[in-house]
Amino acid sequence: MKKSILLMACCLGLFVEGALAQIAPKEEFVSALMERMTLEEKIGQLAQCSYRGNFTGPGGANYSKEDYVREGKIGSMLNVVGVKEIRRFQELALQSRLGIPLIFGLDVIHGYHTGFPIPLAEAASFDLGMIEEAAVCNARESAADGLNWVFAPMADISWDARWGRVMEGAGEDPYYGALVAAARIRGLQGESLADTATVMACLKHFAGYGAPIAGKEYNSVDMSLGQFANFYMPPYKAAVQAGVATVMSAFNDFNNIPCTANDFLLNRLLREQWGFQGFVVSDYNSVEELVNHRYAADKKDAAAKALQAGLDVEMVSTCYLTYLKELIEEGRVKEDVLDKAVRRILEKKYELGLFEDPFRYCNPGRAARVLNAPDIRDASLRMAERSIVLLENKAGVLPLSSKIKSVALIGGLNRSPHDMAGAWAPTTDRSKIITPYDALTRRGLTVNYAEGYNLKTNALDGLEAAMEAARKSDVVIVAIGERASQSGEKAAKVDINLPAGQQQLIAELKKTGKPVIALLMCGRPLIFNDVRRQADAILCTWWLGSEAGNAICNVLWGDYNPSGKLPMTFPAHVGQVPIYYQYKSTGRPATLRQAYVSSYIDSPNEPAYPFGYGLSYTTFEYSGLKVEQGRKAGEHAVVSVDVRNAGKVAGEEVVQLYVQDKVASITRPVKELKGFRKLYLKPGESQTVTFSLTDECLGFYDNNMHYVVEPGDFILMAGKSSRQEDLLQTVFTLE
Ligand code: BGC
């Protein structure tokens, strides 16, 4: 019998005739506990401190974390890593008057100990089952090492590759982003938070954080409610519908009110309209930053505004800790508002089973068994293979033939485990990462390695050695792109062009006459027009985590036929950004092909690679797109299309369905993804793919955020990417 249960049961008067009573049902238990709590103890539950490392901004008070925890002034912690440290803090929490256990959270963005592909890469798989399995693995490792809360998934839609955090999301599409967010939440939280192989997920960053003006980190966001509802909101809403336990408010303002103190977002939309039952945590230091937004006069004002707007837990800054008592005693904030927040937090602690056993996540034996377990490594490899996107494959240079015996491997990124882990992977074990260099040498090939360019400056100072390596090899494989640390938070860029030195390197290597394969390693869409012209093949390999090297080799040699599709448009010019496939017609669409239309005079409108694009070692043919006619709103019509593997090898295709509402009461995009299927087809095999045409495929939010489905004609498009030439189309009429 755990001492803590005893303590808690005694506190709550649950100790009956010498035996421990069952812990009372949640509501009863939490009410009884709250009755015993002082004002200070309640405020303590709202305070979250960061222990060490991973500081993602200014702020953080200089107090002893140990003392505060022991005094019951802290309700949750972030950045405490490992069973030993977590147990130490939990023991201190149990020494506080009521012994209320702590929650421990961490940014587990794409793997805990075993690195998984960055979320944008995982999204390229268009494989929801695999994405969910990856999240299950992330949860298992995190929970085995003491955590019960991870700050993921990021569900922010973004159309702007300058913004560094696109690497953390699922890309540009609201329909797909919603499915990915829900899959990740299912994977992280499982069936029950009480299961010690699961963790609480945290939907972030609510809301609109992916649309900072000019792509600049932490910048203001300004969009109409209609725009928000149709393009940015769906993943957040889907996450709440999937039962996400917690939500993080965004740093930015939304409709002129900072999200951290945004009553519309937190109280009205999230709780009243969507029925969210969990608690909301601020982003790092963002309550105090209400003062910098010039929305609060001082920290006391910030505390009052945030709490009243529905913000429960204050991460890092200490406005609640310092001023809430005063604010309540002065009557400026009602104690009832505080009580609601405390209840939400205690309820989650109860659901996690922490009152029954505060150390249920602290089992060193389990940690040793689960971290880097073979099935987790295997899932990481499968996820990585599915995340790779084949962008170019001229004259079928890939897959490489088994006759190739020597490879010129150029570029320091090919040997950099640190980069391979990707940004925002603080706990990934670098010592267990397989780089392309490791994987190629293990295949028994002769690897002639040269750096070519300087990883820090991108200067072409190793050209001669690279040329020499190329001349003596059968094929040249060059890693290009950006360092992992050049994407992620605080890594916004004005220039997303590939550095000139890297482009020149490819041009020079091409002169050797050897096939040149470029591995594009990046956390965001980059621009590399010269490489597109010169390289024989280009694989977008993002940052793939612990099994990166093996996954890349498997794709290069055709052991895995690439099946990824871009979840974000790759621009051809930085001036096109923000760029996305679901743009609107405008009054002067470029399709009119005349002057005075919506276009540029110095660049085409078309991107380098559109959303949904990605090649395979085989080809797929589409035919027979049709739809059952004559349905009314509320009924389902069925759309079908035939897909055939017309090549010589088996492969997977992501069959995409797009819809255009021809005429509507508000302006609508030229097309929107409304369905997709990932199919595996053997050579010569065909399959008829069907989609159910529901109201969700046809309707939209009007300017008052009401969902409407309007009768009329809809153009249905099916094919292999969002590019018009890749799509068959037919018309459907809703009566
Ligand atoms: C980020 C969040 C993260 C938090 C805690 C912030 O800077 O915006 O996504 O969860 O730090 O590390």
Side-chain angles (χ1 to χ4, degrees), residues 115-133:
F116 278 70
I118 57 168
L120 186 64
E122 288 192 358
S125 70
F126 279 78
D127 186 334
L128 294 170
M130 191 66 237
I131 291 173
E132 185 174 332
E133 189 184 335

Side-chain angles (χ1 to χ4, degrees), residues 489-506:
E489 187 171 353
K490 65 148 177 52
K493 286 181 171 178
V494 292
D495 186 0
I496 53 172
N497 281 288
L498 194 73
Q502 294 189 26
Q503 311 227 25
Q504 200 190 331
L505 172 64
I506 302 272

Side-chain angles (χ1 to χ4, degrees), residues 2 41 94 144 183 204 230 247 346 370 378 418 455 559 581 636:
K2 302 278 183 306
E41 283 165 341
L94 294 183
K204 65 194 196 183
N230 286 304
V247 170
L346 294 177
V370 175
D378 177 62
H418 195 82
L455 266 189
D559 303 328
Y581 81 88
H636 294 186

Side-chain angles (χ1 to χ4, degrees), residues 625-627 629 638-639 657-660 693 698 714-718 728-732:
L625 174 65
K626 52 181 185 292
V627 59
Q629 289 291 342
V638 175
V639 186
L657 175 74
Y658 295 88
V659 176
Q660 180 195 92
L693 206 59
L698 305 174
F714 295 82
I715 300 181
L716 309 179
M717 294 157 266
L728 301 175
Q729 69 177 58
T730 186
V731 177
F732 168 74

Side-chain angles (χ1 to χ4, degrees), residues 170 237 542 662:
K237 191 172 177 188
W542 320 98
K662 276 195 85 177

Side-chain angles (χ1 to χ4, degrees), residues 571-646:
H573 194 289
V574 72
Q576 296 174 324
V577 176
I579 184 167
Y580 44 95
Y581 81 88
Q582 64 275 59
Y583 57 85
K584 298 194 182 167
S585 297
T586 79
R588 296 186 174 195
T591 43
L592 293 177
R593 300 203 181 285
Q594 60 186 54
Y596 298 97
V597 293
S598 180
S599 60
Y600 301 101
I601 58 168
D602 59 349
S603 161
N605 283 357
E606 283 68 37
Y609 302 105
F611 174 87
Y613 170 88
L615 305 173
S616 161
Y617 295 152
T618 186
T619 50
F620 297 96
E621 283 174 5
Y622 285 72
S623 61
L625 174 65
K626 52 181 185 292
V627 59
E628 267 172 30
Q629 289 291 342
R631 61 150 284 202
K632 299 185 171 53
E635 297 169 355
H636 294 186
V638 175
V639 186
S640 59
V641 64
D642 301 324
V643 185
R644 177 171 170 271
N645 181 345

Side-chain angles (χ1 to χ4, degrees), residues 2 59 113 168 220 319 343 523 549 577 606 617 624 635 690 702:
K2 302 278 183 306
H113 186 88
E168 268 183 75
S220 306
C319 307
R343 178 174 289 280
V577 176
E606 283 68 37
Y617 295 152
E635 297 169 355
T690 58
D702 67 15

